[in-house]
Amino acid sequence: DAGVTQSPTHLIKTRGQQVTLRCSPKSGHDTVSWYQQALGQGPQFIFQYYEEEERQRGNFPDRFSGHQFPNYSSELNVNALLLGDSALYLCASSLLSGGSNEQFFGPGTRLTVL
Amino acid sequence: GQNIDQPTEMTATEGAIVQINCTYQTSGFNGLFWYQQHAGEAPTFLSYNVLDGLEEKGRFSSFLSRSKGYSYLLLKELQMKDSASYLCAVRDQGFQKLVFGTGTRLLVSP
């Protein structure tokens, strides 16, 4: 049973460029949440997707957008990259209905903006 | 607003016991989580508390007092591999959004 997978592992971009990060949730999970983790900080919630819709959004600008597909996988898009967008981007999957309380995190994508 | 506080760094000796505290002030509460995160890796789930009291899981225990907005993670029989960051997170009411603290970096020495 595969856990949460993310791609790519590492990415280097320059200011102003656009990036797309991908996430496949754990088998059986239907909800995907995205977090940004700057060095030395805790993860910050970006947004959450369920049934292909954004359910909740954190305090991030519109440059950050996402999508969830019918197979529950998800993408995070960031436009007009800034140096401050350099961070580890984590995807977490969970089951909205059901007894589990845990969010399973993927290995993350390390984004460096030069 | 939402605020979660935990110490930045702690040190302890192999074989000892360490307690990592977390205080929170959040607009909603639907459970408190502790995660372990080794450098450069994803957070891994350690424990979950939604009712007051102590939850024990092997060498790890977690305590919650909702009235005080307080939790702690207790690590017993420390091992070198326990050197990591420990993240306290509160789940938002009605949703699954997690609000994290900045994490406590624990260094276990021989």
Side-chain angles (χ1 to χ4, degrees):
Chain A
D1 177 24
V4 181
T5 60
Q6 292 186 244
S7 63
T9 307
H10 295 85
L11 203 53
I12 300 175
K13 292 285 189 179
T14 56
R15 281 178 298 176
Q17 286 189 309
Q18 178 265 343
V19 69
T20 297
L21 311 182
R22 295 176 176 83
C23 170
S24 290
K26 181 178 169 64
S27 177
H29 283 184
D30 57 9
T31 304
V32 173
S33 303
W34 286 93
Y35 293 84
Q36 180 195 66
Q37 187 175 24
L39 199 61
Q41 301 295 315
Q44 298 294 311
F45 177 77
I46 302 175
F47 41 54
Q48 181 184 88
Y49 278 86
Y50 171 70
E51 291 188 339
E52 303 180 49
E53 290 195 0
E54 184 182 291
R55 295 182 71 237
Q56 196 176 16
R57 187 179 183 92
N59 188 26
F60 279 80
D62 292 343
R63 299 187 297 109
F64 289 77
S65 63
H67 189 77
Q68 185 179 35
F69 300 94
N71 66 353
Y72 306 116
S73 67
S74 177
E75 287 183 350
L76 164 65
N77 301 291
V78 187
N79 294 322
L81 284 167
L82 304 174
L83 295 180
D85 295 331
S86 295
L88 179 68
Y89 288 85
L90 295 164
C91 166
S93 78
S94 54
L95 183 63
L96 188 64
S97 59
S100 174
N101 293 300
E102 183 178 346
Q103 286 194 21
F104 291 80
F105 282 85
T109 295
R110 173 73 63 185
L111 173 64
T112 301
V113 182
L114 302 176
Chain B
Q2 297 174 313
N3 191 45
I4 298 178
D5 287 319
Q6 46 182 134
T8 303
E9 198 168 284
M10 299 182 70
T11 58
T13 307
E14 199 173 12
I17 299 173
V18 71
Q19 177 175 314
I20 303 174
N21 296 322
C22 171
T23 58
Y24 64 90
Q25 291 177 307
T26 57
S27 54
F29 181 85
N30 190 21
L32 187 142
F33 293 76
W34 284 95
Y35 283 85
Q36 180 192 60
Q37 186 176 30
H38 285 98
E41 298 182 9
T44 55
F45 171 80
L46 289 178
S47 70
Y48 166 73
N49 295 72
V50 68
L51 300 175
D52 291 353
L54 187 69
E55 293 285 338
E56 296 186 85
K57 206 183 216 184
R59 296 190 299 115
F60 296 80
S61 303
S62 58
F63 172 83
L64 175 67
S65 169
R66 288 172 296 171
S67 62
K68 295 181 179 178
Y70 169 69
S71 174
Y72 68 72
L73 179 70
L74 193 70
L75 293 79
K76 303 175 186 175
E77 301 170 13
L78 281 172
Q79 303 174 9
M80 298 296 289
K81 68 178 181 179
D82 296 329
S83 292
S85 285
Y86 291 85
L87 300 164
C88 172
V90 172
R91 185 166 61 182
D92 199 5
Q93 184 73 39
F95 293 93
Q96 295 188 357
K97 165 188 172 182
L98 293 177
V99 180
F100 283 88
T102 56
T104 298
R105 192 166 60 186
L106 174 66
L107 179 62
V108 180
S109 57

